[in-house]
Amino acid sequence: MAAPSIAWLRIGDLRLRDNPALYWAAESGNRCAGLRVVPRRGVRVSRIEGKSPEEIAAALKELPPDQLAKVWAAVDRKDPCPGPVDCSGITVVAKDYKGMLDQPSAPKFKGALAQIYVRSQPYGGSDKSNNGHRYDSIPIVNGMISAGMSCQLIHYTHEEHDKFFELCKSFDYVIVRCNPGQIKADGGDQQKFDDGMRALRKMGKQVWPSPDVMEKMGAKDALCKVATMNIGLEDTLTYYSPEEFAAGFKKTMAFQPRVIKQNRGRELLQGAMALFREYGERLCEDGEKLMLMEANDNHEEEHTVGEFIEFCVHGRTDKSGEWTSKGVGKYLEGGKEAGGQLVDQRFCPRIVEGELRYNLIGDSLIGVIHKKPKEGGISAVGGTGSIYTFYGPDEPLFKSLTENFLKKDLPHVMPSLDLAEEPLPLWWTTDFINASPVGTKAEDEKWIVGEFNCSCVGISKCLAAYCKDDTPNASWDDISDEDKAEAKKMGDLMGEKALAILSK
């Protein structure tokens, strides 16, 4: 039987990664790189005196899975996954729990924060501190603890899928902090993980965010489901078939310039043709020209309506013309069940002024970020030279939007997305675009949703704790006291919101 992998184990300055399950080979009382190793029953023992870390690493292989918990118990260190629930049945990936508060002796609810360490990537992925935790896990866990609940830090490894979800049954809630794509990158199956979380929900366990919440809030057709609210535009459509797309796009493109969005991604275009006052007054013809601008790099290219439809449906073919786009098209491939869809939304010219990102904890706004694209661009996505300006939740410039969104629309968002039985995410964002003509008074401006995001949104105040090439040993200690205090406020508010939901 093949042994599972462990993310890493440190011997002095040597980090062991991408190895089969490791074990310490030591005799009682021996010390290696400052760690005291005591053999326990069932743990293989051999002499390591005089051996270098590299030689030890070469010898530490092929431990059966059921031995791994005993190995960690043999290391003279803090108990793994400290808290009221025994987590020794799964692999302990974390090196330490620095910064975490002591768990309450009599927790109101028992919970866990689930993470994923990508063993094939440097540092375990681009969101990890040097101890294997996500860089912003500590303030979230501490927020739960401060609210009187326990919250234990655990890692998912796909080799131990069944053991992991059996453990999760012991918790009242699970906070999922696995970046999209990382489970697959580590060799696991995202669908299998999601189905495990769905099973927990059916048992009455709270999962933040649940797979259904991530899927339905993150999918672009969410924009259609809020189209009739103050934060939506009624001429927002979703297409699931080539026939729907061809018919709908020819109608909307003749009415107003459009933004065409993939299910999870974005393809922006602006039409250079005459516009008509009434929606549906005419249809575009296949030969009419479009000037397209793509979001991921703001590059432009020209195609006919027919070529664009062909590219979106079938990709690069003889009928789609020559494309310089990074995209491959085929956006409807697989149909609705496989996530094949396109969302068609009116282009708002004032997007060049930037977007507003509302950062929310449950139903509480904690801050606003104005994201302005670089000169000449229309997209403020990361890596395009955007300029960010930060505002507090009570910023007068956005008073009208804030009040309309929080008081009028927010109570209806989850039901409109077919999520009436789910609470709002603990930590999520909403991006807004100004859809009003230039010169509109601030109190009369209409801002529309461009995107919801609840898939592992990061806490920027903790960014100093994540490892990268120039800070390979970044940790909780690298976060300034001021930023720790701000992160604590956010975590404490998450704890308050979580406790209120669990107590209902």
Side-chain angles (χ1 to χ4, degrees), residues 77 116 137 160 222 285 287 327 353 359 396 462:
R77 64 201 261 282
I116 179 74
S137 290
E160 299 176 345
E285 296 181 0
E353 300 173 13
N359 294 317
C462 298

Side-chain angles (χ1 to χ4, degrees), residues 6-8 15 17 93 115-125 128-129 131-133 155-157 182 186:
I6 183 174
W8 52 261
R15 177 176 291 180
R17 187 188 290 118
V93 173
Q115 309 164 99
I116 179 74
Y117 190 100
V118 185
R119 289 163 282 188
S120 61
Q121 296 179 359
Y123 318 115
K128 299 298 185 299
S129 288
N131 57 6
H133 299 301
H155 283 80
Y156 173 78
T157 55
Q182 288 192 336
D186 191 50

Side-chain angles (χ1 to χ4, degrees), residues 112-115 134 140 144 165 173-180 183 190 193-201 205-218 264 360 362 414 419 421-429 452-458 494 498 501:
L113 187 149
Q115 309 164 99
R134 256 189 69 97
I140 298 176
M144 305 299 126
F165 280 100
Y173 68 91
V174 177
I175 300 173
V176 180
R177 298 291 287 171
C178 302
N179 253 338
I183 288 176
Q190 182 70 54
F193 178 85
D194 289 348
D195 288 345
M197 288 297 169
R198 288 189 176 98
L200 291 177
R201 288 293 293 127
K205 309 292 183 181
Q206 183 60 55
V207 178
W208 278 297
S210 72
D212 290 340
V213 170
M214 284 194 284
E215 181 179 316
K216 293 181 179 181
M217 292 195 81
R264 295 183 182 276
L360 299 114
M414 298 301 276
L419 294 168
E421 301 303 314
E422 292 280 1
L424 287 164
L426 281 184
W427 177 219
W428 61 295
T429 67
F452 296 114
N453 183 16
C454 64
S455 298
C456 218
V457 178
M494 290 184 211
I501 292 169

